[in-house]
Amino acid sequence: GRFIRLPATMTLLFEPEFLAVAPPATVSRCGMVFVEPDYLCPNDVSPAGSSPLVVAWLNRLPELLKPYREQFQGLFNLYLWPCLYQVRKTMKEIITTVQTNMVPSMFRLIDCFLEPYCPKEGRSWTEDEKLHIAHLVEPIFLFCLIWSIGGTVVGANRCNFDEILRNLLAQNQAKPELPAEGSVYDYALSLGGEEDGEWIKPSWVGWMETVPAFELDNSLLFADKIIPTKDSVQASFMIKMLTEQLKHVLAVGETGTAKSVTVGRVLKSGLKENFDAIFTAFSAQTSANQTQDIIDDKFDKRRQGKKDGLEYLIHGPPIGKCAVIFVDDMNMPKRETYGAQPPIELLRQWMDYQGWYDRKINRLKKTVHFAFVGAMGPPGGGEQPVTNRFLRHFNFLSFVDMSTESLSRMFQTILASHLSDNNFCNEVQELTKPIVQASINAVSYTHLRAHETPEHLVCRLLLEKKKNTQTHYK
């Protein structure tokens, strides 16, 4: 490249994640300021409620919620650090995260619940509605804690998080109490409210109770039959709530966990009428220019703006509309020589600065009123690790393998509908549950044994032989 001489009135400010690919000649000419993230986040030294991130969020509470600042702060002190510490030290996450994203992701979820209490033209509240807020603070906090701090935990460790949180809830006598059956992930939060002239307090309800009864349409092709399960209802609720508040969502899970199907179904038919969905996908060969052109072509020019002497263009969906851009296989773009992924860096630039430069006229173009939803698998194989400078803008949604309960519900619904519509006798229809359960057991057993290498098989046989020998001597 060529040298560009900077005038004496100009300086450069670099903000890199690391210096692994920075030449010594550049590093030696820069003053260094190291920011330790532990100073911003909750830690084991000081109460979580007094950490800079938490205090900054508490200061942004709407005026109507200011009286509950101390209650929120007390809840952060009781629950945030113990849960965050256990997730970090004893559990596996489906994707690498940083604490400076985990904690703000909880703030974003709480903000979604509190949005009806933010000042807005034409919005007012009765005295009963204001009094009802006192009953909402703790359950909203706990629900958001589960789906932010505990939201990235893999399926095998969710029982650990459930145990830890239930112990904390018992110690602090949390209200309303979570039902003892199942795990903390099995329940949605009903906010209560006025019903027939009476005010109902918040409560925990099963996820399947939040959706209407499902009837299968057998005229659909088998591949088009989508049966709502507890897992899909959870994910759909989170995606809808976050995207309608223009928060970014990232669905992460192994192949076959229905990430793309669930996200696509919500974006096509589950959002408000003023939301439009835009679908695209990345591949290993996707470039930054292709990504910019795809997004720019979907939006209209609105007006021009100027700030601090810098002129820029404002683009967005049609007036009165919002857009959600769904990027499938988000971590597929190939890394360049120095480890960056150009399409990812372009999207990160928009999230940091709300825009990018138009390549034709070299002017800043800001895009407004839209949110990103991404889907990707855990890094490995063709899936690349993604920089945390980009991931920090998202709320993560972990798609774990379907539970046996969800699999049983799904296949029993399909089989029972088929047998009923084709007039099978009652004796055969009564076999629906045993047939499905036997099939799931067979697949689970095969899946378990299919991963065994000869070395694993020998070790298992030796262990079984040792166990049988010990039993014989007893």
Side-chain angles (χ1 to χ4, degrees), residues 111-128:
D111 288 340
C112 290
F113 280 103
L114 300 184
E115 194 280 333
Y117 300 100
C118 295
K120 192 175 181 180
E121 186 178 354
R123 179 179 286 176
S124 61
W125 304 271
T126 65
E127 287 301 319
D128 288 335

Side-chain angles (χ1 to χ4, degrees), residues 25-320:
T26 301
V27 174
S28 64
R29 289 171 170 81
C30 296
M32 295 291 169
V33 178
F34 177 68
V35 180
E36 177 58 62
D38 287 345
Y39 294 148
L40 301 175
C41 300
N43 53 60
D44 57 351
V45 178
S46 57
S50 60
S51 62
L53 281 178
V54 175
V55 172
W57 179 79
L58 291 172
N59 290 338
R60 297 197 304 270
L61 283 174
E63 196 63 35
L64 188 63
L65 297 166
K66 292 288 187 185
Y68 304 98
R69 175 192 170 105
E70 292 185 3
Q71 186 179 357
F72 272 117
Q73 195 164 24
L75 292 169
F76 281 114
N77 290 335
L78 291 174
Y79 296 103
L80 183 55
W81 173 247
C83 291
L84 190 59
Y85 177 83
Q86 292 296 334
V87 168
R88 281 282 183 255
K89 298 298 181 182
T90 65
M91 301 178 203
K92 182 180 178 181
E93 296 179 272
I94 199 165
I95 187 173
T96 304
T97 61
V98 291
Q99 291 183 194
T100 45
N101 176 39
M102 295 279 278
V103 178
S105 68
M106 183 177 177
F107 299 155
R108 290 190 287 267
L109 274 178
I110 299 176
D111 288 340
C112 290
F113 280 103
L114 300 184
E115 194 280 333
Y117 300 100
C118 295
K120 192 175 181 180
E121 186 178 354
R123 179 179 286 176
S124 61
W125 304 271
T126 65
E127 287 301 319
D128 288 335
E129 288 174 329
K130 294 178 181 178
L131 293 174
H132 187 64
I133 298 174
H135 302 292
L136 295 175
V137 171
E138 186 168 7
I140 286 176
F141 178 91
L142 294 175
F143 181 88
C144 297
L145 177 74
I146 294 168
W147 290 101
S148 56
I149 307 302
T152 58
V153 175
V154 298
N157 287 141
R158 285 193 168 186
C159 56
N160 302 48
F161 185 84
D162 171 71
E163 181 181 358
I164 290 164
L165 182 56
R166 284 186 182 277
N167 289 337
L168 289 170
L169 295 177
Q171 292 173 16
N172 299 302
Q173 300 179 345
K175 299 292 183 183
E177 293 185 10
L178 271 162
E181 299 80 15
S183 76
V184 294
Y185 296 95
D186 294 339
Y187 296 97
L189 176 61
S190 172
L191 298 178
E194 188 178 9
E195 186 175 325
D196 297 330
E198 295 183 3
W199 282 86
I200 300 174
K201 293 183 178 180
S203 61
W204 301 100
V205 297
W207 282 106
M208 297 309 298
E209 298 177 37
T210 64
V211 293
F214 176 76
E215 293 184 6
L216 182 62
D217 182 3
N218 268 326
S219 63
L220 296 173
L221 296 174
F222 184 81
D224 296 331
K225 294 178 180 179
I226 301 177
I227 315 298
T229 64
K230 177 183 64 179
D231 305 288
S232 65
V233 173
Q234 290 170 355
S236 299
F237 174 83
M238 300 300 295
I239 294 168
K240 175 179 171 64
M241 181 175 68
L242 287 163
T243 52
E244 287 185 346
Q245 298 292 330
L246 297 183
K247 314 290 186 187
H248 310 304
V249 184
L250 182 59
V252 188
E254 298 285 354
T255 302
T257 50
K259 303 183 298 295
S260 302
V261 172
T262 304
V263 173
R265 190 179 183 189
V266 174
L267 299 189
K268 287 178 182 177
S269 59
L271 300 180
K272 296 177 181 177
E273 293 183 357
N274 64 323
F275 276 79
D276 292 332
I278 300 168
F279 295 86
T280 186
F282 282 170
S283 70
Q285 304 304 319
T286 302
S287 68
N289 287 350
Q290 289 173 339
T291 304
Q292 183 174 355
D293 291 340
I294 289 172
I295 295 176
D296 281 346
D297 289 344
K298 302 295 183 181
F299 296 126
D300 304 329
K301 179 180 177 181
R302 289 194 174 181
R303 59 184 176 86
Q304 297 188 17
K306 187 174 183 179
K307 184 178 180 181
D308 298 331
L310 177 66
E311 294 184 351
Y312 56 85
L313 305 173
I314 297 179
H315 283 231
I319 299 295

